[in-house]
């Protein structure tokens, strides 16, 4: 196997502490919480970081934009959460690029939200 690819392996729940999610929840008010198990990342989309009220039907629209603009495929959970799983093989640079793409789009969506 080449040295630039990372193979996914089953990850025990205890191992997840070493796989810290990206700081999108700290950086963006539109992200209420980020959760990660192994290589799967979920982002809860909210109207603001204080009330953490779910952003209505945002998951489908943002999921489509991630697909159309960045070629990313995401699953929507409960209408306002995005669940992302990477390909089985990807480089560290590709993983960083995926997270940056999500951050770029969520920053645009956040700027377009009315002030609360």
């Amino acid at each position: 196997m080449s040295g630039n690819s990372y193979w996914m392996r089953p990850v025990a729940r205890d191992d997840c502490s070493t796989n810290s999610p990206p700081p999108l929840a700290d950086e963006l008010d539109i992200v209420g919480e980020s959760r990660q198990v192994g290589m799967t990342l979920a982002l809860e989309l909210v109207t603001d970081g204080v009330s953490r009220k779910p952003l209505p039907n945002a998951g489908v629209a943002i999921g489509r934009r991630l697909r159309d603009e960045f070629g990313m495929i995401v699953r929507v959970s409960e209408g306002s959460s995005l669940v992302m799983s990477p390909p089985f093989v990807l480089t560290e640079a590709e993983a960083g690029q995926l997270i940056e793409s999500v951050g770029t789009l969520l920053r645009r969506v956040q700027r377009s939200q009315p002030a609360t």
Side-chain angles (χ1 to χ4, degrees), residues 1-2 4 12 16-17 19-20 22 31-33 55 65 78 87 111:
M1 175 177 148
S2 76
N4 291 340
C16 294
S17 61
N19 297 327
S20 58
V31 178
E33 181 178 79
L55 193 59
R65 288 177 66 180
E78 299 180 21
R111 284 191 301 267

Side-chain angles (χ1 to χ4, degrees), residues 53-84:
K53 178 182 172 189
L55 193 59
N57 302 314
V60 172
I62 292 173
R64 283 185 185 137
R65 288 177 66 180
L66 285 169
R67 179 197 63 204
D68 294 347
E69 294 181 35
F70 302 107
M72 183 182 288
I73 298 173
V74 300
R75 179 170 54 91
V76 178
S77 174
E78 299 180 21
S80 62
S81 292
L82 300 175
V83 181
M84 296 160 276

Side-chain angles (χ1 to χ4, degrees), residues 25 28-33 46-53 110 116:
L28 297 167
D29 284 339
I30 196 172
V31 178
E33 181 178 79
V46 296
T47 56
D48 64 85
V50 176
S51 73
R52 291 188 53 182
K53 178 182 172 189
Q110 180 173 290
T116 54

Side-chain angles (χ1 to χ4, degrees), residues 24 27-28 98-108:
L24 294 175
E27 175 188 342
L28 297 167
L98 290 173
I99 293 301
E100 184 55 38
S101 297
V102 171
T104 296
L105 179 57
L106 292 180
R107 283 182 204 90
R108 280 189 279 170

